[in-house]
Amino acid sequence: MRLPETRDLFVRELDFPASSETVIKLIGEQKLEAPNGDDESIGDILERSGVEQFTHADELYDTLLTCVGDAFIGRKYYDDRSGISSNTDDDEIVHF
């Protein structure tokens, strides 16, 4: 399952408010496909979160997004705001 599909799963399968223990028991085995590495289960991610209660599906989804591992993150330390440089030599600075 892809990460963006989890919110619909939460709405379909869970009644809110729901405890983390209940979520893990009911859908914790569901694997999430990581684009850059090993897949992780919802249960493993939620156990790392430390959150004990979810009042609605959006809160659970936000927690999941916050606690996924590095395999779900794009290029680490990527900065698309290049052009800011500490160079003082004007010949080496590229302006667009």
Side-chain angles (χ1 to χ4, degrees):
M1 167 174 276
R2 295 181 45 213
L3 191 56
E5 298 167 346
T6 57
R7 189 187 175 291
D8 290 336
L9 173 70
F10 301 155
V11 170
R12 273 193 326 268
E13 300 292 327
L14 301 168
D15 294 320
F16 291 92
S19 68
S20 181
E21 182 180 316
T22 300
V23 174
I24 292 170
K25 180 180 170 186
L26 294 175
I27 60 171
E29 296 295 319
Q30 182 70 46
K31 291 283 186 180
L32 299 179
E33 299 170 12
N36 299 317
D38 295 330
D39 298 346
E40 282 189 276
S41 73
I42 291 174
D44 289 342
I45 296 167
L46 291 180
E47 286 175 357
R48 270 198 312 267
S49 76
V51 178
E52 295 181 14
Q53 185 79 15
F54 303 99
T55 56
H56 46 78
D58 290 334
E59 182 180 5
L60 176 53
Y61 181 70
D62 290 346
T63 299
L64 201 69
L65 286 179
T66 303
C67 296
V68 293
D70 289 346
F72 291 87
I73 299 171
R75 293 188 297 179
K76 288 182 93 171
Y77 311 114
Y78 174 75
D79 182 5
D80 64 350
R81 292 180 246 158
S82 61
I84 300 172
S85 175
S86 61
N87 268 344
T88 57
D89 186 4
D90 289 333
D91 292 336
E92 292 184 26
I93 297 175
V94 177
H95 297 279
F96 295 97

